[in-house]
Amino acid sequence: MDLVASLVDKSVLFRDPDEEVAHYRMLDTIREYGAARLLEEGGTARWEERQTLVGMERVREIAERWMGPDQDELVRLARRNHDNLRGVLQRTCATPDQAATGLTMVVRLEHYWVMTGRISEGVHWLTTGLRHEGADPALRARAHAVASYLSSLQADLGTAARHLDEARALGAGLDDVGVEGYLAFADAGLALFDGRPERAVETSAGWLRRAHAGCHLQIESMLLLAQGLALSALGRLDEAVEVNQRLAQRTGAVGERFLHSMALWSLSLDLRERGDLDAADAHATRALELKRPIGDEVGVALCLESLAATASVRRDPARSATLLGAAERLWRRIGVTALSAPYIAAQRELGERLARGSLRDQLFEDAYRCGQAMSTAEAVRWALTADRAVADDPLDGTRLTRREREIALLIGEGLTNQQIADRLVISVRTAQGHVEKILRKLELASRTQVATWVVSRRA
């Protein structure tokens, strides 16, 4: 420890200030220099082997603890070690006699690739590792099934179908209920994305009937999610609600968050269709609250889409447009189109159609761009705290921009610049700049006059 402390004092190592467990980094130039010296001395093999062993242990720990209450901690662990894991996968997936190790790690991290928006990277490692034939057929079948699922998420349905065919061929005759579960989920996922919800219901229900309840909780939960979405797509809402409630109960009982929040999100779609807008909002909001600490960016985007659709039905078009813009930014960043799956496309179409019908085009575009400009953290915070009263905008038709109208309303409520900044997730300086523009455009001299003007507009 004295050596480590000395290196920190000399700024050779840096401790990550956001981690409770000590985690150190070094400057890229120093790391590159050390790697070059190590290569010159022929000592890389020993350290590469140690890095692989550590990476395997990290991934094993994540997989074994995944279906429980520690997912936020496990996602942080994977994110913190991502560069090291990438180095291991780069080496193992490309090497014939190590490909099985790489594939095992990639498959065990299947949800991590989705949650963190690294779907393309997950597909890349699977494709690279599957080029080599040496791995166990059961492992290769699972790898092809995960590759199919990830490809479906990217709307690359041809590739998804090819991986699914390979997985079926490898899984035939294995008599492995776990492999069968992976095949069923890949099959149901592809059916959902290419518009065959009947097939998704049939496939997921078939495996759930055969498998012993609780023996494969993760696969069972994934298939319940697929089944619920498919039933919803078919308009069988009562059955969909029952399946999603079952999923929420099973995952909630063990403290799991990723699939539990997906169940709540799926329920929000069904409840809105049944006309229970308060319950739909409550479920989508709770799902968003659960997704924030685990860093599930795909899930966050889905929740924003659901909240946007419900806001439109509630005749809250400005909120809907802002949420749609925030979701669109996330879809672009992740590399998934919001229209890739019928159930996502339906949410967006509903939210956008109703919002555009209630707002002038320029107002819709202003709100949409406002959402697009938000970071993920800002979008989540805004979705959970935004004042919906802004939607019924008494300042509409004035010379103020949408953001300036929003700030003027908050001035009318008596908020200070600091409070406005906190509410809207902007800097105090930005808030002050907007206030100055409001005063200039309205030809007023003080915040009190702005507040009086707002009250008169509301009267």
Side-chain angles (χ1 to χ4, degrees):
M1 291 304 299
D2 290 340
L3 175 59
V4 171
S6 174
L7 292 173
V8 170
D9 290 339
K10 294 181 174 64
S11 297
V12 175
L13 292 179
F14 298 89
R15 177 168 178 167
D16 191 332
D18 297 326
E19 298 296 337
E20 295 179 3
V21 178
H23 189 78
Y24 297 92
R25 303 180 186 276
M26 65 175 65
L27 292 172
D28 288 345
T29 51
I30 295 175
R31 187 179 69 250
E32 291 166 3
Y33 171 76
R37 287 292 305 273
L38 191 62
L39 185 63
E40 289 173 4
E41 296 174 6
T44 57
R46 173 191 172 196
W47 295 105
E48 286 175 350
E49 182 179 354
R50 287 189 61 176
Q51 185 187 41
T52 299
L53 291 174
V54 171
M56 291 169 60
E57 178 60 24
R58 290 279 186 270
V59 172
R60 183 197 61 77
E61 178 185 0
I62 291 169
E64 289 184 355
R65 295 171 56 197
W66 184 254
M67 290 301 291
D70 303 324
Q71 286 180 347
D72 53 345
E73 174 191 339
L74 298 174
V75 171
R76 286 198 302 272
L77 177 66
R79 285 181 182 273
R80 189 174 66 227
N81 287 278
H82 187 83
D83 288 341
N84 287 324
L85 293 174
R86 179 180 288 163
V88 173
L89 293 174
Q90 189 171 24
R91 188 166 55 251
T92 56
C93 289
T95 306
D97 62 349
Q98 297 185 55
T101 296
L103 288 174
T104 299
M105 293 173 66
V106 180
V107 169
R108 284 177 167 176
L109 292 170
E110 59 185 302
H111 292 314
Y112 171 73
W113 306 117
V114 178
M115 292 169 60
T116 59
R118 293 182 169 98
I119 299 172
S120 294
E121 183 173 352
V123 171
H124 168 73
W125 297 129
L126 288 166
T127 303
T128 302
L130 284 167
R131 291 181 184 140
H132 310 294
E133 297 290 341
D136 171 68
L139 171 59
R140 289 179 61 80
R142 290 196 298 272
H144 275 295
V146 174
S148 176
Y149 162 56
L150 296 180
S151 297
S152 290
L153 289 177
Q154 294 183 307
D156 188 355
L157 302 185
T159 299
R162 287 192 293 274
H163 279 296
L164 181 57
D165 288 342
E166 291 283 353
R168 285 173 176 152
L170 288 161
L174 288 180
D175 192 26
D176 184 324
V177 69
V179 171
E180 290 173 4
Y182 271 92
L183 293 175
F185 182 70
D187 192 335
L190 178 58
L192 273 172
F193 277 86
D194 69 6
R196 295 177 294 130
E198 300 92 343
R199 171 69 181 184
V201 171
E202 175 188 347
T203 301
S204 54
W207 186 88
L208 290 167
R209 280 194 303 268
R210 292 192 304 275
H212 178 66
C215 66
H216 291 278
L217 179 58
Q218 180 169 321
I219 300 173
E220 178 185 347
S221 299
M222 292 159 58
L223 283 165
L224 285 172
L225 175 63
Q227 185 181 33
L229 288 169
L231 288 167
S232 180
L234 291 168
R236 294 158 59 178
L237 296 180
D238 290 343
E239 294 174 78
V241 168
E242 182 181 350
V243 168
N244 283 317
Q245 287 176 336
R246 179 180 165 195
L247 170 59
Q249 182 179 20
R250 290 193 64 74
T251 51
V254 296
E256 195 273 348
R257 295 184 182 183
F258 172 60
L259 290 165
H260 182 72
S261 57
M262 291 301 293
L264 298 179
W265 162 76
S266 189
L267 277 168
S268 77
L269 313 186
D270 302 329
L271 293 167
R272 183 177 58 251
E273 287 297 310
R274 295 208 306 197
D276 192 344
L277 302 186
D278 289 341
D281 248 348
H283 281 76
T285 298
R286 180 55 182 153
L288 187 58
E289 290 171 342
L290 289 171
K291 289 186 176 302
R292 176 164 51 177
I294 61 175
D296 179 8
E297 296 196 353
V298 169
V300 166
L302 290 171
C303 290
L304 296 178
E305 296 276 357
S306 179
L307 289 168
T310 304
S312 285
V313 175
R314 288 183 181 277
R315 301 188 183 281
D316 195 343
R319 173 176 169 83
S320 178
T322 304
L323 292 168
L324 287 170
E328 177 62 24
R329 185 198 70 84
L330 268 173
W331 292 128
R332 286 203 315 269
R333 203 194 74 75
I334 296 166
V336 175
T337 171
L339 304 180
S340 59
Y343 57 87
I344 303 175
Q347 301 306 303
R348 175 159 288 264
E349 191 278 331
L350 173 65
E352 187 166 342
R353 172 170 51 81
L354 294 178
R356 284 188 180 278
S358 302
L359 284 177
R360 295 199 305 270
D361 286 346
Q362 187 57 53
L363 292 176
F364 178 90
E365 296 300 331
D366 286 348
Y368 196 86
R369 283 195 293 271
C370 177
Q372 287 181 311
M374 294 179 182
S375 67
T376 302
E378 289 170 342
V380 171
R381 183 171 176 180
W382 191 91
L384 296 176
T385 62
D387 185 358
R388 296 185 185 182
V390 174
D392 299 322
D393 190 350
L395 310 186
D396 193 9
T398 66
R399 298 172 57 197
L400 304 181
T401 66
R402 181 185 181 282
R403 179 61 102 184
E404 288 164 356
R405 295 197 305 274
E406 192 173 20
I407 289 176
L409 289 171
L410 296 177
I411 292 174
E413 294 178 16
L415 271 65
T416 66
N417 286 347
Q418 180 65 64
Q419 291 169 327
I420 291 171
D422 291 342
R423 176 79 66 88
L424 300 181
V425 199
I426 58 178
S427 70
V428 176
R429 186 172 181 178
T430 298
Q432 177 62 39
H434 284 303
V435 172
E436 290 172 359
K437 289 178 182 177
I438 291 168
L439 292 170
R440 187 165 58 251
K441 286 184 178 182
L442 299 179
E443 299 180 349
L444 298 175
S446 70
R447 297 170 65 92
T448 302
Q449 289 179 340
V450 173
T452 302
W453 175 78
V454 169
V455 171
S456 69
R457 296 282 302 190
R458 279 176 162 161

